[in-house]
Amino acid sequence: MMQRDPGRCRDMQGIADTSREMQTHPGRCRELQTHPGRCRHIQGDAGSCRARGRAGAPAVPPPRGQGALPRAGGPEGRSRWSPGRRERRDARAAAGAAPGAAPGAAAAAGPGAVCRRRGAVPGPAAPRPARPRHPAPRQSLDFWKLLYVLLKQIHGGSWTESDAIGAQVRFVQWALWYHGYRRPQLRRLPADGSVGSRELLLAFSWLLHCPGLLQRLLAHNRVQTGDHTSVCTCEDDVPERQEGPGEAGPEGRVDVRYLQWLHGRLRLQWCSLHAQHQEQCRLLHKIHSFTSGSHMDQNLGHFSVTEADLIRHPENYKQLLQLLESETTQLEAFLEWKQLEPVYWQWMETVLDDMAEEGNMCVSQDADVEKRRLPEVTSCCPWAARLAGQMDRLSRDLLALQEQLHQLVAQRKAAWWEKVAAREELQKERFSATARKAQESTELKLRGLPSLCAPQKTRMHGLCRLVLRSKQPASKVASGQCVSKEAAAALRAAEVIRELQLREASLQRELQQLQQQCRTRLDGIAEGLEGVICISP
Amino acid sequence: MSIVTVQLGQCGNQIGHELFSALCRDSRGTHGLCSNNENQSYQDSCKERFFCEEESAVPAARAVLVDMEPKVISQALSMAASSGHWRYSSHSHFCQKQGSGNNWANGYCVHGPRHKEAIMELVQREAERCDRLGGFLTIMSMAGGTGSGLGAFVTQCLRDAFPTSFILNHVIWPYGTGEVIVQNYNSVLTLSHLYHSSDALLVHENDVIHKICAQLLNIKQISFRDVNQVIAHQLGSVFQPAHLPCAVSLSDMSSCGFLLSGDLLESLVPHPEFRMLGLRNIPQMAESSLPYSTFSWPGLLRQMLIANAQMEEGIDWQVRPPQAGSCIPCTNKALHFNTSIANLLILRGKDVHSVELGSFQDPSLYTSWLNPQDAFTAWKTPRAFNKYEKSAALVSNSQFLLKPLDSIVGKAWNMFASKAYLHQYTKFGIQEEDFLDCFTTLEQVISSYTNL
């Protein structure tokens, strides 16, 4: 559908993220607390998303902390341990899994209820529930499970009801670390999932914002056309060093032949994958060329794989229709969440305020829950700050060098051209031919250089759909329905290929340099050994 | 997934022809006790892999035939066409009028570059007819002139032209008491060049096959045709479709059931230094005795372990893996014990799914740096092969070729040291340095295998 209605797709992209699921998430958490059986509604497949939507419908019992309640305990006694404060803190801790605070709870009760209550929400000072609640292990467990299910979905895994809580906890911690969430308190939570609902709430909000949990879920559950290919010309960033044990001890030593074995397997599997990709492209080309001219949308002009399959097996239309309907429902829910999102963040601010009062962390001024990476990082990896400083220095030096190089090149060029002009007058044709050849070869070499030190060229990243253009049969144009936030642009396959070839050439050069270094090192070592002749490969 | 076969030289062409006949015969033969669906997928897979469906009903083999003489090729073409069930494509062969006189250098330095364009064009055309190119299978003998020299050159060209495709070289190891004087030189040169370009070398020794024909098949007058048929039977038992034990249900099979040749290489030769593969096939018997024999799986497998003499030598079932922290494991094993790096077992026929394979996973069979889970793979299919109710093939990357290799290199070195017959090579462009490089490569291979 996204392809048939690119205008709509652009609307989607213009909007920041959420969906009705997210809107109902706080409610669902609360539901989980009250209706553990409804855990099952959290399914990975698109088909039951409708169930999800329905779960957030007004059939849900009304939220506990209703309406705008006065602050329990009043403004008197703002000491840390005043009963009112403790009550609020406990309540909010409990609310970590099941926010009793009105905005979240109100959101749970469905869009209509939320809109009614919007007027009643008194701004940043969110109403507190009347009764203090102690955090129950059940809520934490359910929250862990929720995060587990969501993260499993976007990581493409499958899950079962019977996955052990220990495994769930570990997976969630790993997935959060993978996405860049470095808060140490999360790592310290116990593996049985009995506490930590507030930490999980923070993590959840962070997931909403930074890695775009909702966009990913939407993208994951999108109906596939089968024509997609991924494009990525990103430069590799500095790899993150894993915190973990240092050098492996003698027990951890692995025979180098085993490593060679594994490397060989990887290479062979990569070759298989390559062959399969080639086959896929070949078949895709067949489909596109055979069905060209048959599509209603003139922009595309040919069928996608899903459409072609539908023609061959028309009985599958029901399934496709279901998938499209569930996708539509998801998108509608997303739109609704978008409208209610500010309320959620306001409420999160109050949670943060509360935590700040406990002196746990330093809060940024944004409404978003954006974790400061550096403080956490330096507490875990002391060398990170030094590394960052070194990198800054290096990049400054590189820029300076680049300037100098440009100047030098310009000077040399000018001098050379003078000489060439003088020479040319002496010998006309033959010299100009050799000069041209020399110029081409230097251009080739220079072309490689800027790619090494170019600051930030346009990076293409994301999924693209392949479209065969019949007007220029030699080229394939990819119209980008990119997942990223850039405007949908049409990329030409030839450009992408050229970029990738440049990148490949530079990587090859790097590889050769590294191999040369290894060779010289080996030679150096072999010199020192008696009676050993080293024959380099 | 398709494999393009390149048949090189007299030996290669004859074996290639027998191979395709065996594959076709098996594919059309009785399917034993497996279901119709399985049989259908088996046939489709086999056809896709080795043959190309054309408008005329008879499938065409995906093969390129190369030889310097026209005689063998035309024989192969006509025999295939007369079989009525398959044929070679009409324009997939390349031959010249003169031979190479058993001169490796002639094949490598003269014929190769001269005819490279024509041969590679044929290969390219075959490759483009495949939807998915699985890889190349080249069949050649190591000791002859055309097959070995030209074969080494063609393998190199294949590697250059298709850097990501698999190349499996099937080489025929010459008779120990062969008739060609310079067969040791040819063998050394071929092996070292192939080691650089191809992914795996699947070796058949003429002596061993001869023994099979004499003792197991009871053939009195053993002709090359008999030898070739045994070889084709063994190759067919490896290349015909099979799948991993986990894909038991049909739905698993239909999507990506039958294994690709890449998987064969992946389980056996990922390590760049260890590329030599040997093949054992059980049972081998005359067709006339087939209807009167029944086998049980445990008996068959035990017989395989024993009959594969190299594997049985010194195998003492009391041997336990050495204790952790003890001295180097190699000294624990008998000096002539055949250590494997990896083994692939392919079982075909009745009741394959209930076979007990524990004896193949004994760690004492394998080298110390690879555990048996990585080293041993088993493929199964209930579909019977070539009328055998049950059959098993073992492809093994092990020390089995160490002795023959060592002896060939030793003999070649002796000849080289006395500069015998070198002028025949140097006059075509193979210098002494090239010989030395080849010896170095093979010494490295020998030492890697010795130190398992």
PDB file of all heavy atoms in Angstrom, chain B residues 357-368:
ATOM      1  N   LEU B 357      24.708 -43.140  15.007  1.00  0.00           N
ATOM      2  CA  LEU B 357      25.957 -42.703  14.394  1.00  0.00           C
ATOM      3  C   LEU B 357      27.039 -42.410  15.421  1.00  0.00           C
ATOM      4  O   LEU B 357      27.998 -41.716  15.130  1.00  0.00           O
ATOM      5  CB  LEU B 357      25.710 -41.437  13.571  1.00  0.00           C
ATOM      6  CG  LEU B 357      24.810 -41.650  12.371  1.00  0.00           C
ATOM      7  CD1 LEU B 357      24.467 -40.323  11.740  1.00  0.00           C
ATOM      8  CD2 LEU B 357      25.501 -42.526  11.357  1.00  0.00           C
ATOM      9  N   GLY B 358      26.863 -42.919  16.615  1.00  0.00           N
ATOM     10  CA  GLY B 358      27.805 -42.567  17.672  1.00  0.00           C
ATOM     11  C   GLY B 358      29.239 -42.915  17.349  1.00  0.00           C
ATOM     12  O   GLY B 358      30.165 -42.206  17.721  1.00  0.00           O
ATOM     13  N   SER B 359      29.436 -44.017  16.641  1.00  0.00           N
ATOM     14  CA  SER B 359      30.817 -44.440  16.415  1.00  0.00           C
ATOM     15  C   SER B 359      31.592 -43.452  15.565  1.00  0.00           C
ATOM     16  O   SER B 359      32.809 -43.384  15.628  1.00  0.00           O
ATOM     17  CB  SER B 359      30.835 -45.820  15.755  1.00  0.00           C
ATOM     18  OG  SER B 359      29.968 -45.810  14.651  1.00  0.00           O
ATOM     19  N   PHE B 360      30.889 -42.668  14.774  1.00  0.00           N
ATOM     20  CA  PHE B 360      31.600 -41.694  13.956  1.00  0.00           C
ATOM     21  C   PHE B 360      31.928 -40.427  14.722  1.00  0.00           C
ATOM     22  O   PHE B 360      32.645 -39.579  14.208  1.00  0.00           O
ATOM     23  CB  PHE B 360      30.762 -41.313  12.726  1.00  0.00           C
ATOM     24  CG  PHE B 360      30.822 -42.335  11.652  1.00  0.00           C
ATOM     25  CD1 PHE B 360      29.850 -43.308  11.567  1.00  0.00           C
ATOM     26  CD2 PHE B 360      31.851 -42.340  10.738  1.00  0.00           C
ATOM     27  CE1 PHE B 360      29.905 -44.268  10.579  1.00  0.00           C
ATOM     28  CE2 PHE B 360      31.912 -43.289   9.741  1.00  0.00           C
ATOM     29  CZ  PHE B 360      30.939 -44.266   9.662  1.00  0.00           C
ATOM     30  N   GLN B 361      31.378 -40.280  15.906  1.00  0.00           N
ATOM     31  CA  GLN B 361      31.618 -39.055  16.631  1.00  0.00           C
ATOM     32  C   GLN B 361      32.611 -39.246  17.757  1.00  0.00           C
ATOM     33  O   GLN B 361      32.733 -38.414  18.641  1.00  0.00           O
ATOM     34  CB  GLN B 361      30.294 -38.516  17.194  1.00  0.00           C
ATOM     35  CG  GLN B 361      29.457 -37.947  16.080  1.00  0.00           C
ATOM     36  CD  GLN B 361      28.054 -37.621  16.535  1.00  0.00           C
ATOM     37  OE1 GLN B 361      27.444 -38.381  17.283  1.00  0.00           O
ATOM     38  NE2 GLN B 361      27.562 -36.497  16.109  1.00  0.00           N
ATOM     39  N   ASP B 362      33.301 -40.346  17.722  1.00  0.00           N
ATOM     40  CA  ASP B 362      34.337 -40.601  18.713  1.00  0.00           C
ATOM     41  C   ASP B 362      35.444 -39.568  18.566  1.00  0.00           C
ATOM     42  O   ASP B 362      36.023 -39.432  17.493  1.00  0.00           O
ATOM     43  CB  ASP B 362      34.886 -42.003  18.464  1.00  0.00           C
ATOM     44  CG  ASP B 362      35.829 -42.448  19.542  1.00  0.00           C
ATOM     45  OD1 ASP B 362      36.178 -41.626  20.409  1.00  0.00           O
ATOM     46  OD2 ASP B 362      36.213 -43.627  19.518  1.00  0.00           O
ATOM     47  N   PRO B 363      35.761 -38.845  19.613  1.00  0.00           N
ATOM     48  CA  PRO B 363      36.776 -37.792  19.470  1.00  0.00           C
ATOM     49  C   PRO B 363      38.141 -38.321  19.102  1.00  0.00           C
ATOM     50  O   PRO B 363      38.957 -37.584  18.556  1.00  0.00           O
ATOM     51  CB  PRO B 363      36.811 -37.138  20.851  1.00  0.00           C
ATOM     52  CG  PRO B 363      35.576 -37.537  21.521  1.00  0.00           C
ATOM     53  CD  PRO B 363      35.136 -38.835  20.937  1.00  0.00           C
ATOM     54  N   SER B 364      38.410 -39.588  19.382  1.00  0.00           N
ATOM     55  CA  SER B 364      39.740 -40.088  19.071  1.00  0.00           C
ATOM     56  C   SER B 364      39.961 -40.204  17.571  1.00  0.00           C
ATOM     57  O   SER B 364      41.076 -40.336  17.110  1.00  0.00           O
ATOM     58  CB  SER B 364      39.964 -41.445  19.725  1.00  0.00           C
ATOM     59  OG  SER B 364      38.959 -42.332  19.296  1.00  0.00           O
ATOM     60  N   LEU B 365      38.876 -40.124  16.807  1.00  0.00           N
ATOM     61  CA  LEU B 365      39.046 -40.174  15.366  1.00  0.00           C
ATOM     62  C   LEU B 365      39.505 -38.842  14.799  1.00  0.00           C
ATOM     63  O   LEU B 365      40.020 -38.778  13.690  1.00  0.00           O
ATOM     64  CB  LEU B 365      37.713 -40.516  14.684  1.00  0.00           C
ATOM     65  CG  LEU B 365      37.171 -41.926  14.864  1.00  0.00           C
ATOM     66  CD1 LEU B 365      35.794 -41.985  14.240  1.00  0.00           C
ATOM     67  CD2 LEU B 365      38.076 -42.922  14.204  1.00  0.00           C
ATOM     68  N   TYR B 366      39.273 -37.802  15.546  1.00  0.00           N
ATOM     69  CA  TYR B 366      39.458 -36.475  14.985  1.00  0.00           C
ATOM     70  C   TYR B 366      40.640 -35.770  15.601  1.00  0.00           C
ATOM     71  O   TYR B 366      41.159 -36.148  16.628  1.00  0.00           O
ATOM     72  CB  TYR B 366      38.191 -35.635  15.190  1.00  0.00           C
ATOM     73  CG  TYR B 366      37.012 -36.238  14.494  1.00  0.00           C
ATOM     74  CD1 TYR B 366      36.082 -36.989  15.190  1.00  0.00           C
ATOM     75  CD2 TYR B 366      36.845 -36.068  13.122  1.00  0.00           C
ATOM     76  CE1 TYR B 366      35.005 -37.551  14.533  1.00  0.00           C
ATOM     77  CE2 TYR B 366      35.769 -36.631  12.470  1.00  0.00           C
ATOM     78  CZ  TYR B 366      34.861 -37.373  13.185  1.00  0.00           C
ATOM     79  OH  TYR B 366      33.814 -37.932  12.534  1.00  0.00           O
ATOM     80  N   THR B 367      40.994 -34.683  14.951  1.00  0.00           N
ATOM     81  CA  THR B 367      42.125 -33.915  15.434  1.00  0.00           C
ATOM     82  C   THR B 367      41.739 -33.140  16.687  1.00  0.00           C
ATOM     83  O   THR B 367      40.572 -32.912  16.962  1.00  0.00           O
ATOM     84  CB  THR B 367      42.597 -32.955  14.332  1.00  0.00           C
ATOM     85  OG1 THR B 367      43.702 -32.215  14.797  1.00  0.00           O
ATOM     86  CG2 THR B 367      41.488 -32.005  13.967  1.00  0.00           C
ATOM     87  N   SER B 368      42.736 -32.726  17.428  1.00  0.00           N
ATOM     88  CA  SER B 368      42.449 -32.183  18.752  1.00  0.00           C
ATOM     89  C   SER B 368      41.816 -30.811  18.725  1.00  0.00           C
ATOM     90  O   SER B 368      41.107 -30.439  19.646  1.00  0.00           O
ATOM     91  CB  SER B 368      43.737 -32.115  19.561  1.00  0.00           C
ATOM     92  OG  SER B 368      44.671 -31.335  18.832  1.00  0.00           O
TER      93      SER B 368
END
